[in-house]
Structure formats: structure tokens, C-alpha cells
Amino acid sequence: MRNWTWVFLLVIFLAVLVRIEAWKFSRAHHEHTERISGSAGDVLEDDPVGRLKVFVYELPSKYNKKILQKDPRCLTHMFAAEIYMHRFLLSSPVRTLNPEEADWFYTPVYTTCDLTPNGLPLPFKSPRMMRSAIQLISSNWPYWNRTEGADHFFIVPHDFGACFHYQEEKAIERGILPLLQRATLVQTFGQRNHVCLKDGSITIPPYAPPQKMQTHLIPPNTPRSIFVYFRGLFYDVGNDPEGGYYARGARASVWENFKDNPLFDISTEHPTTYYEDMQRAIFCLCPLGWAPWSPRLVEAVIFGCIPVIIADDIVLPFADAIPWEDIGVFVDEKDVPKLDTILTSIPTDVILRKQRLLANPSMKQAMLFPQPAQPGDAFHQILNGLARKLPHDKGTYLRPGEKALNWTAGPVGDLKPW
């Protein structure tokens, strides 16, 4: 019994010690910021204006505005980047009204704005909707046909991008919509060696409401007294009753190993102080769920909480511009049971540097889709990504009469009129 008493006292001592160190981290974090050095920093602060021109197709409102009118919730969910990117481009100085001088062509289709009562997007109509839009632009303008989409980009913020399904197995089975095989896809989903991420795609952050987060900011000198923080599901009993499939078991492992650990503030409850709590934490867990990504990554960066990324082979937003290795901690899914040891063994100076980098305003700006747009924000990072792909290579343009795409490929249901 005495041995257990000593173990209990040791755990309490360690928890107090961590909270003291957390206070030190907090003070240092808010006294200094650090410029993002090297190529990543230079790229992050690029200005795309003058480096590319984008032509925006004017589609019938049934592809975008009317869909939004039916369900305004689409403006606030994590897939809303497709809507805000459209609005941004309409007034952006990179927009050209002359398609002959365009470097890129954009087709504004709101494929995630078909929501369940719970606010989750239903992707089942998306392939037919996208095919319909492509058939329209290929019939009314000559630009698609000369490249079959190789100088076109599409925003596809679904769980698994242009595979258009929220379950990974079915998304893999479907694959990327055949008509988008030559286009550049701008998507939230990113995982190396995955059929739903094609070469040349631009991975972006999910939408998180900037104004809402702004209203929850707390004084910058508030101590970071929470060592590890997480709020969210550990199991999805409704969709994964036997367990082990959801989050590939990583979230369940977090709960089973650390639910009683005093260093871990983790729960399924989502308190009204969620944003404030993140600002009081040193580390914020960002595990995969059904897909590798989630808004927690954005929230962690905005609130200066070091993101602990648990998602094997994830491709992170704007990875060519944001130095994720410097600001985050990567933990393999198999190593989740060792999470406490991994995090407590990180040297203080490493934690302080990550916090200084996270405090850099340009880092936060790159993760947001603000209204109105701001220099260096996610809109501009997307344009930077497109500009870096220029000039188009010779393979972009097809010879007269040449065809690269199979218009009848894909599931039979996708070929039905929309």
C-alpha cells in the first residue's frame, strides 16, 4: 500500500512540475516571436499578384448560389473553402475577364453543400454535379477541350477529395473522378501514396471561422497550465460498432492509455471554453478521424498550441510553405501508447522555439480564409501554389483531335444526368 502511495505522490509532483514549466513556456511564448527562416518563410510571404491570371467561368446559379441559398449552413462548416474561394476570386486582382490571357481556369461548383440534418455533407450527387459542370464549360468555351482540364483547377474539400465519399474504403474503390484526372485539385485531404491524392494537388486547411475564433481570444499573458489537450470522439459507435476502424484505432488508444493521466486533459465533452482551453494548453492533439485532417490543426496553430499530429503519411496544408516539422510534433499511430513519454522528453528549448514560430502572425494568417481577404492568407497561399506551377509544360496542351480522358469511365451512377 505504501508503494502505491509513493507512486500517487510522484504523479502529483510531476503534474505540478509540468504546470510550473507550462507557465514558463507561456511567458517566453508571448514575449518573443520568431521569424520563419529559410525557403519556407520566403514562400509563405510571397505575393501572387502579377504572377498569374485566373479566368472564372460564369456558371448557372444552380451550381453554386442557389445551392447555398437552400442551406446557409454551408457558410460555416469545415468544407466552406469552396464558397469563399469563389467569392474571393470574383474580386481578386488576379482575375481576368479575358480568357485568352488566363493562366488558369476556375469552375465554381459547390459540391459539399448538400447537408444532412446534422450538417454533414452528402457526396453522392457530387460526381454527377461536377460532370455536368465540366460538360457545360467544354460545350460553351474552347479552353477545356484544348487541355482536357490540365490548366483548370477545382476546389474539392470533401473528406477524401475528388473521390467523393466519406468512407475511405469506398473512396478508394471509387477513385478520383475520371474527368478530373488532368486538372489541379485543391483539397483538404492529403495522404501520401493514396489514390485520392494525385500528384500536383494543392493541400489546404479546412475552413475554420476567423471571426468566431477572434471573439474567443484571451489575454496573451495567460499561463499555459494544461500540458496536453483534446476534445472529440474516441470511438464512433454508430459507424464503427466493433471499434478499431475509426481513426485506425489511434483515438481509442489515446483514451485507453491516458484517460486517467493527470498530464492529459482529454474528453468527449465539447465545452463552451474550448477555444480558451486551447490557449491554455502547451500541446493539442490532432489525431486522424475518418480522414487524416480536421479543423483542430487550424485551431491549434491559431491559438499557439503545439499541434501533435497523429496521422501516418499525412500531407499537411501548404507543406511547401509552412515548416510543419518545426512547429508541430509528429507521432506515429503505433506509438500512441508512448505519447506521454514522447511529449515529456521534448527539451524545453525545442518547445519554446515551436511556440515562438507559432506566434508569428504570418503562420496563423496562412491557415485562415478571412472576410475580407488579407495578405498572406489561405486564399493567397492557394494562388501562390498555382503560380509556382507556371509556366505550363508542353504536355498541358493536346494536339488537334487528341483525347486523353474517357468520358464514360467511372461508376454507372455517376453517368446519370444531374
Side-chain angles (χ1 to χ4, degrees):
M1 183 66 181
R2 292 179 62 185
N3 289 339
W4 282 110
T5 301
W6 279 110
V7 170
F8 175 75
L9 290 174
L10 179 61
V11 169
I12 295 299
F13 170 76
L14 288 173
V16 171
L17 183 63
V18 166
R19 287 177 183 269
I20 291 172
E21 289 299 311
W23 180 81
K24 292 178 182 177
F25 296 156
S26 173
R27 293 299 298 260
H29 166 77
H30 292 295
E31 287 173 2
H32 303 284
T33 63
E34 184 169 327
R35 176 175 167 77
I36 306 164
S37 60
S39 61
D42 299 335
V43 171
L44 194 63
E45 296 172 6
D46 278 353
D47 183 357
V49 177
R51 298 169 57 215
L52 78 167
K53 293 183 179 181
V54 177
F55 179 76
V56 180
Y57 287 114
E58 292 188 19
L59 301 185
S61 59
K62 69 176 185 176
Y63 291 99
N64 39 62
K65 294 177 183 177
K66 281 190 177 179
I67 297 174
L68 178 58
Q69 288 171 0
K70 291 179 182 178
D71 200 334
R73 292 180 300 168
C74 298
L75 286 169
T76 56
H77 68 23
M78 69 182 81
F79 308 94
E82 62 183 0
I83 299 171
Y84 290 110
M85 190 65 188
H86 181 202
R87 293 181 175 183
F88 163 74
L89 284 172
L90 290 177
S91 58
S92 170
V94 306
R95 183 188 182 191
T96 178
L97 300 180
N98 178 8
E100 292 295 335
E101 66 177 18
D103 301 297
W104 290 99
F105 295 81
Y106 168 63
T107 309
V109 186
Y110 298 171
T111 60
T112 66
C113 195
D114 181 13
L115 306 182
T116 67
N118 292 332
L120 300 175
L122 291 169
F124 308 118
K125 298 178 183 177
S126 301
R128 291 187 291 130
M129 183 180 181
M130 186 67 81
R131 281 180 57 88
S132 174
I134 293 173
Q135 287 172 334
L136 179 69
I137 63 173
S138 66
S139 299
N140 293 354
W141 289 273
Y143 308 106
W144 173 274
N145 296 319
R146 69 184 186 183
T147 67
E148 288 199 327
D151 55 356
H152 289 55
F153 70 94
F154 294 82
I155 314 295
V156 282
H158 283 273
D159 287 322
F160 291 96
C163 287
F164 295 125
H165 208 286
Y166 57 85
Q167 293 179 342
E168 184 172 18
E169 287 183 354
K170 293 183 179 179
I172 291 173
E173 182 182 335
R174 286 185 51 82
I176 292 172
L177 187 72
L179 291 187
L180 294 177
Q181 290 290 348
R182 285 175 58 83
T184 290
L185 303 180
V186 179
Q187 58 187 69
T188 44
F189 172 75
Q191 183 173 316
R192 288 185 292 274
N193 305 314
H194 199 286
V195 299
C196 298
L197 181 69
K198 64 191 289 289
D199 289 344
S201 297
I202 297 174
T203 310
I204 64 172
Y207 177 78
Q211 293 82 2
K212 181 180 178 181
M213 290 190 288
Q214 181 73 26
T215 61
H216 286 268
L217 289 176
I218 62 177
N221 59 350
T222 302
R224 290 190 178 268
S225 56
I226 301 170
F227 190 61
V228 180
Y229 186 76
F230 176 78
R231 291 294 184 272
L233 290 178
F234 298 98
Y235 307 90
D236 188 345
V237 178
N239 295 300
D240 182 26
E242 296 181 5
Y245 185 69
Y246 176 62
R248 297 196 282 258
R251 291 197 186 199
S253 183
V254 169
W255 179 251
E256 290 160 7
N257 285 282
F258 304 111
K259 61 179 180 293
D260 297 320
N261 189 316
L263 302 182
F264 284 67
D265 187 345
I266 59 177
S267 173
T268 56
E269 297 178 1
H270 204 288
T272 56
T273 57
Y274 173 69
Y275 284 156
E276 288 83 355
D277 292 342
M278 293 188 83
Q279 294 169 79
R280 297 186 180 98
I282 297 173
F283 295 105
C284 287
L285 301 186
C286 300
L288 74 163
W290 285 112
W293 60 272
S294 82
R296 286 180 192 83
L297 191 67
V298 177
E299 295 160 350
V301 171
I302 297 304
F303 294 129
C305 186
I306 297 171
V308 180
I309 299 157
I310 308 170
D312 294 354
D313 295 321
I314 189 172
V315 176
L316 290 162
F318 308 131
D320 58 348
I322 295 177
W324 288 106
E325 293 285 348
D326 293 334
I327 65 173
V329 176
F330 291 79
V331 176
D332 290 345
E333 294 165 26
K334 66 178 176 58
D335 291 334
V336 167
K338 299 184 288 187
L339 197 53
D340 54 346
T341 303
I342 292 170
L343 297 180
T344 55
S345 65
I346 298 175
T348 301
D349 61 328
V350 173
I351 293 177
L352 290 172
R353 182 169 187 270
K354 290 180 185 295
Q355 290 180 326
R356 289 195 298 270
L357 286 169
L358 284 168
N360 191 306
S362 63
M363 189 78 70
K364 303 177 188 298
Q365 192 76 299
M367 299 295 284
L368 294 175
F369 295 90
Q371 305 294 309
Q374 305 288 332
D377 62 16
F379 299 117
H380 290 83
Q381 300 307 327
I382 293 172
L383 294 182
N384 282 335
L386 292 170
R388 286 193 287 273
K389 293 179 178 292
L390 297 175
H392 295 299
D393 59 37
K394 293 181 179 179
T396 299
Y397 301 95
L398 302 177
R399 295 185 297 272
E402 182 183 2
K403 297 293 181 183
L405 300 177
N406 182 355
W407 283 74
T408 61
V412 175
D414 292 357
L415 306 182
K416 297 177 181 178
W418 178 69

